[in-house]
Amino acid sequence: MSRRPASPHDAPGRANASPPPAAASATPPALDPAQRAALVSGQHGDPFAVLGPHDGTVRVLAPGARSVSVVGPQEARHPLRDDGDGLFSGAAGPGRAGEPGSYRLDIEWPGALQRTHDPYAFGPLLPADALRELAAGGWHAALEWLGARPATVAGIAGLRCAVWAPNARRVAVVGDFNSWDPRRHGMRLRHEAGVWELFVPDVEPGAAYKFAVTDATGAIRFKADPHARRAELPPATASLVDDGAPYPWTDGDWMRTRRARHEPDAPIAIYEVHAGSWLATDDTGACPWRQLADKLPAYAASMGFSHVELMPIMEHPFGGSWGYQPLGLFAPSARFGPPAAFAHFVDRCHAAGIGVILDWVPAHFPDDAHGLARFDGTALYEYDDPREGYHPDWHTLVYNLGRTEVRGFMIASALHWLQRFHVDGLRVDAVASMLYRDYSRQPGEWIPNRHGGRENLEAVDFLRALNQAVRDEAPDAIMIAEESTAWPGVTAAVADGGLGFHYKWNMGWMHDTLRYLREDPVHRRYHHGELTFSMVYAYAERYVLPLSHDEVVHGKGSLLNKMPGDAAARLANLRAYLGYMWAHPGKKLLFMGGEIAQAAEWNHDIPIDWNLLDDPPRKGVQRLVGDLNRLYRTQPALHARDADPAGFAWVVLDDADNSVVAFLRSDGTAQLLAISNFTPVARTDYRVGVPLAGHWAEVLNTDAGAYGGAGGGNLGRARTQPIPAHGHAQSLALALPPLSTLYFRHEGE
C-alpha cells in the first residue's frame, strides 16, 4: 500500500500517481486493526498512507455516509465497498488512478448527495524551499504559505490549508464542509518545518473552519487559524475563508507621494479613533466601515489632521479590551465588516488626503481556548515558564520571540497590513513591556537574560528585525513605538544599534504636562519644571506628543475635567494647553472627543457626544484644534525642524512666579514666537525679547472669541521696541490674556 517516492518532477499538488489498476475489481487489502481503529477514531497521524488512491484502488473515510462511488471519465460510476465504521474501498475505475481530477467521489449522505474530489488524491503542497524558509522563521513564506487560502491545484478549485503545529500528534481541518467532524480531512505532516497541510477541494470563500489539533495526550483542541484573514463575528470563534480578491485601489497618487508626509520635517497631526465608538451605528445594518468611510476621512481632513490612528482592529474575542488583546493578527474584526470594506475605508482616507495608522500588538495575547495558547498541546507561541510567558498586568500570555517561527509569524502580520491594506504605519503597543524581563514583576518572578540582565534580548532582536523588514518592504510606511521608559535609541537606525522605529510616543511630556495642568494655577509656580523639562531630552528621539485614549479612561476623567476651576476656566486651560502642545517640538496626537472638549470620560460602548457642538464654547475648542492643525501645516517654523535643536530656542524659561513660558520656533528663515500664560491673571506689557525687529503678527490667540474666549490680546499684531530683553536687542510688550497661548509670526519692518 506504500506510495512511490516523490519524483523531483512532481509539482506541488500533484499526486504520486501509480500505474493503472490491473483489474477493475481490485480492492485494498484489509487494514491492520490498530490502523483501522486509529483511522475511524480520528487518531491516525498519516491518513495519506491509507486513504486515497493506492495501487489502482481507493479508500475513503466518510463517517455517516450511506454509500460512496468513484466517478470516472464519461461519468462512469463504480460503487465502493462499505467496510463499516465509515470506511469505503474499491477500484479506482478506468483512467490514471491517482491523478488529481482523474476521478471524483459521489457521497450519499442522509438526505443529500455530495460530489467532490478526493483530498487524498493530491500530493504535497508546500515546496521544499518554502519549508526551509518557514523553519528559519522567514516571514515571506509565512505570509504566502501558512493559513487556509483559496487555491487551484491541478486545475481544481478548493482550499489550501497549512498550519504550524510541530508537536501535534494529528491535525485535521474541520468546518461547514465536513460537519465539523475531526475524523475527516486529516492533514499531512511536513516534518522539515513542523507544518501540517491539506488541499480540500471544492470549498468556497465564506466557509467557516478551524483546525482540530490532537495533542500528545490524545486530546483534541479546536483552534482558529492563526493566519486567518477573516473571522466570525464574536462571540463566535471560527475562522472564515477569505476570497483573497485584490481590492481595486484608487490611491496610486497617495502611495507615490506619501514618503514626504512621513519625514521628520513633515507636519504629522494624528487623530486617534476607536472605530466602534466614533459615531453611533444606524439601525439599517449598514457596514460600519462603510459608514466610517463616508464620514471620518472628510471630518479628519476638515479638522486639518494628517492621519487617523485606529485602536487595534485585528480580531479580538473581548470587545472590552478595545482590541489590545487580539487573536486574529491577520483579520480585520468582523465587528466592523469584511476585509474589503476595511480596504475601502483606507482608500477613502487616502482620497481625502488622510493617512491611516493602526495600533498593533506584538507584546501579548489572551488565553482563549480557540486561540494560540498551548496551540499544539505545548507552549508553542508563548514561553512555557510563567515567569516569562504570563503577563501579570493583563493576565495574558507573552509571545516567545526567541522562536524563529513566532518572529516570522509576527513580522508577516505587520507586513500584511502594510502591503495588503495600504496602511501607512503601525503604532506598536506596549514596547516597554517587551523590552524588560522584569516589567511589572517582583524579584523572583522573572528570569534574567543570558548575561544576567533584565533586558529581553529576544524582543530587542525581534523589534530590530521587524523595523528593518518594514523599511525594506514598505519604505514609505512609518513605525511608531509606545515606549514609556528611557530605553536608548528607540528611533535610531538598526545599523547604528537602535531599535529602528521612526517615532516614539513622548510619554514623559504627556505625564509631566498633565500633572502640571491639574494643579490649581496658584500652585503652578511650584511645578514650573514639569512644563519645561521635556525640552531637556526633546531631541534624544523623534517624538510624537500623545494625548491618547489611555488618559481619558479608568477614572482618569476627560481632558476637560482634568483642568481645575469652573467651567469657563477648564475650557480656557484646555485651550491654552492645546496651543502650547501644537507649538512644542514633536508630532501631535489627540484622541477623539478631545477636540470638542467632551466632559465625560471615554466609554467604548457609547459614541462621542456630538451634540456638544451645539454649545458655542465646545464648538470654539473644535475650531481651535482645526486652526492649530492648519497653522502647524502651513507654517514651516512649526514643523520643518521638529527633529533639529536649531529649530527651537527658549525666550522665557524661568518665569515660574507668573507661570509664563515663551519660545521661538524657526525653519531657518521664518520665526514664530509662542507664549503661554498658565494663570487666570491678565498680563499687560509683558516684555519678551525677540531676535528680529519690526512687526510680529498675532496669528493665534486661544482666548479669541471665536474659540470661546474673552477676546483679550494684541489686536492682531505687535511691534518691537529697541529695549533689550532675554538676550535680544529688541523686544515686544505683549498683552497676555488669562489662561492663554498666543503665536506671533515675524512679518518684517
Side-chain angles (χ1 to χ4, degrees):
M1 292 191 298
S2 62
R3 306 176 72 176
R4 68 175 175 83
S7 163
H9 301 292
D10 287 332
R14 179 180 175 85
N16 298 326
S18 301
S25 60
T27 58
L31 285 173
D32 172 86
Q35 283 213 62
R36 178 190 176 90
L39 195 63
V40 300
S41 65
Q43 296 292 324
H44 201 294
D46 185 14
F48 278 87
V50 288
L51 296 179
H54 293 271
D55 299 324
T57 66
V58 173
R59 181 178 286 113
V60 176
L61 177 63
R66 290 178 174 173
S67 66
V68 179
S69 297
V70 171
V71 182
Q74 289 79 48
E75 295 294 307
R77 298 178 78 255
H78 302 273
L80 299 182
R81 182 183 66 200
D82 186 346
D83 295 329
D85 297 322
L87 284 168
F88 298 85
S89 63
R96 288 185 54 80
E99 288 281 352
S102 66
Y103 70 93
R104 287 171 291 174
L105 301 174
D106 274 358
I107 306 176
E108 182 186 0
W109 304 99
L113 178 65
Q114 176 189 14
R115 175 166 289 187
T116 185
H117 292 88
D118 186 353
Y120 296 101
F122 295 83
L125 300 173
L126 273 64
D129 58 349
L131 293 170
R132 287 191 294 270
E133 189 177 347
L134 287 170
W139 67 265
H140 291 90
L143 196 56
E144 180 177 0
W145 291 102
L146 293 183
R149 306 281 180 265
T152 299
V153 178
I156 298 165
L159 188 66
R160 188 197 72 207
C161 304
V163 63
W164 178 56
N167 304 304
R169 181 183 292 180
R170 179 181 183 271
V171 181
V173 188
V174 295
D176 295 336
F177 45 84
N178 63 12
S179 301
W180 300 89
D181 187 342
R183 294 172 292 180
R184 301 169 60 190
H185 294 104
M187 304 175 77
R188 172 193 283 117
L189 175 61
R190 306 297 299 277
H191 294 271
E192 310 96 302
V195 171
W196 299 77
E197 63 171 25
L198 185 71
F199 180 69
V200 186
D202 310 311
V203 175
E204 297 182 350
Y209 71 97
K210 284 185 178 181
F211 294 114
V213 182
T214 304
D215 67 18
T217 70
I220 298 178
R221 303 165 183 266
F222 290 88
K223 295 290 190 177
D225 180 0
H227 287 261
R229 296 184 178 182
R230 191 173 177 185
E232 286 187 306
L233 178 67
T237 58
S239 302
L240 297 178
V241 178
D242 180 40
D243 63 15
Y247 180 81
W249 293 97
T250 64
D251 64 348
D253 289 343
W254 170 274
M255 297 298 286
R256 283 187 292 271
T257 61
R258 73 175 180 177
R259 178 188 291 272
R261 304 171 192 267
H262 294 157
E263 295 290 352
D265 62 355
I268 298 177
I270 303 166
Y271 185 52
E272 189 190 20
V273 171
H274 178 254
S277 60
W278 186 73
L279 79 171
T281 55
D282 58 35
D283 298 327
T284 65
C287 170
W289 281 130
R290 296 277 175 176
Q291 294 181 57
L292 285 168
D294 288 343
K295 296 182 179 180
L296 179 53
Y299 176 75
S302 73
M303 290 293 295
F305 288 101
S306 63
H307 294 72
V308 294
E309 179 179 317
L310 300 175
M311 295 166 68
I313 60 150
M314 300 80 192
E315 194 57 80
H316 50 283
F318 176 47
S321 76
W322 315 325
Y324 289 100
Q325 293 189 11
L327 279 177
L329 278 116
F330 295 80
S333 177
R335 294 169 176 85
F336 311 126
F342 174 62
H344 171 74
F345 169 79
V346 175
D347 203 31
R348 298 319 302 154
C349 284
H350 289 171
I354 299 296
V356 179
I357 298 167
L358 299 185
D359 278 13
W360 184 69
V361 187
H364 61 118
F365 60 92
D367 60 359
D368 296 65
H370 70 282
L372 301 177
R374 311 293 294 187
F375 189 83
D376 63 359
T378 67
L380 191 61
Y381 286 88
E382 69 272 33
Y383 289 99
D384 194 21
D385 192 316
R387 292 175 296 172
E388 296 178 290
Y390 177 76
H391 204 296
D393 280 357
W394 303 305
H395 308 292
T396 51
L397 302 177
V398 178
Y399 286 105
N400 182 354
L401 297 174
R403 294 196 78 146
T404 56
E405 297 90 344
V406 175
R407 290 172 56 173
F409 167 76
M410 300 303 299
I411 295 174
S413 167
L415 269 296
H416 169 72
W417 298 101
L418 297 173
Q419 293 178 335
R420 181 182 181 187
F421 292 107
H422 289 200
V423 165
D424 300 289
L426 301 176
R427 176 267 198 184
V428 182
D429 182 64
V431 170
S433 76
M434 302 172 67
L435 291 173
Y436 300 97
R437 287 178 162 268
D438 62 346
Y439 187 91
S440 288
R441 299 179 188 273
Q442 300 300 316
E445 295 178 351
W446 58 282
I447 299 175
N449 63 33
R450 61 181 179 269
H451 304 300
R454 60 195 288 254
E455 300 81 9
N456 189 328
L457 303 179
E458 295 94 341
V460 171
D461 289 344
F462 162 73
L463 292 170
R464 288 172 172 164
L466 165 70
N467 287 320
Q468 191 60 56
V470 171
R471 289 177 185 267
D472 292 342
E473 302 293 330
D476 299 340
I478 52 174
M479 299 293 286
I480 304 171
E482 186 211 15
E483 202 285 305
S484 55
T485 74
W487 185 280
V490 172
T491 59
V494 171
D496 296 331
L499 296 183
F501 287 95
H502 297 85
Y503 298 100
K504 167 182 169 172
W505 275 20
N506 193 335
M507 311 292 280
W509 173 88
M510 179 268 296
H511 286 300
D512 286 349
T513 57
L514 285 179
R515 189 163 51 241
Y516 175 84
L517 266 295
R518 286 190 184 98
E519 294 290 337
D520 187 290
V522 74
H523 300 304
R524 285 176 179 168
R525 67 178 64 189
Y526 307 113
H527 301 270
H528 196 71
E530 293 172 356
L531 190 64
T532 62
F533 180 68
S534 57
M535 289 310 302
V536 172
Y537 59 88
Y539 302 102
E541 305 278 4
R542 292 185 296 275
Y543 283 115
V544 174
L545 308 182
L547 292 177
S548 74
H549 68 277
D550 276 330
E551 307 317 310
V552 293
V553 291
H554 299 321
K556 295 179 182 177
S558 66
L559 282 181
L560 180 67
N561 284 342
K562 295 180 192 299
M563 307 297 153
D566 59 18
R570 288 198 299 272
L571 286 162
N573 269 292
L574 179 59
R575 293 192 303 267
Y577 182 39
L578 293 172
Y580 172 78
M581 171 183 176
W582 254 256
H584 191 288
K587 311 311 180 188
K588 324 301 176 189
L589 180 141
L590 183 65
F591 183 57
M592 64 183 200
E595 81 277 17
I596 63 170
Q598 183 163 293
E601 187 175 84
W602 175 58
N603 182 332
H604 70 275
D605 289 325
I606 300 173
I608 292 176
D609 187 4
W610 295 108
N611 292 326
L612 289 174
L613 291 175
D614 294 334
D615 178 28
R618 268 29 183 271
K619 185 69 176 177
V621 174
Q622 185 192 48
R623 185 177 292 113
L624 170 65
V625 172
D627 285 352
L628 285 169
N629 277 329
R630 281 179 279 276
L631 277 171
Y632 177 54
R633 184 177 65 249
T634 59
Q635 300 297 314
L638 288 172
H639 63 258
R641 289 185 172 179
D642 247 353
D644 182 353
F648 176 94
W650 281 114
V651 179
V652 179
L653 169 65
D654 56 358
D655 190 2
D657 287 344
N658 291 312
S659 298
V660 171
V661 291
F663 51 85
L664 289 163
R665 299 296 310 276
S666 172
D667 66 345
T669 302
Q671 295 277 351
L672 189 141
L673 172 73
I675 184 165
S676 297
N677 172 17
F678 284 110
T679 65
V681 178
R683 309 290 176 191
T684 58
D685 293 324
Y686 190 94
R687 190 157 298 280
V688 181
V690 289
L692 299 173
H695 291 286
W696 289 69
E698 187 181 78
V699 295
L700 182 109
N701 180 346
T702 65
D703 192 51
Y707 304 143
N714 299 271
L715 300 177
R717 63 169 31 197
R719 182 175 177 82
T720 59
Q721 297 171 324
I723 301 174
H726 304 113
H728 298 292
Q730 57 279 318
S731 58
L732 300 169
L734 300 177
L736 306 183
L739 299 171
S740 66
T741 294
L742 290 73
Y743 297 175
F744 294 87
R745 182 184 61 220
H746 182 252
E747 293 196 336
E749 291 296 334

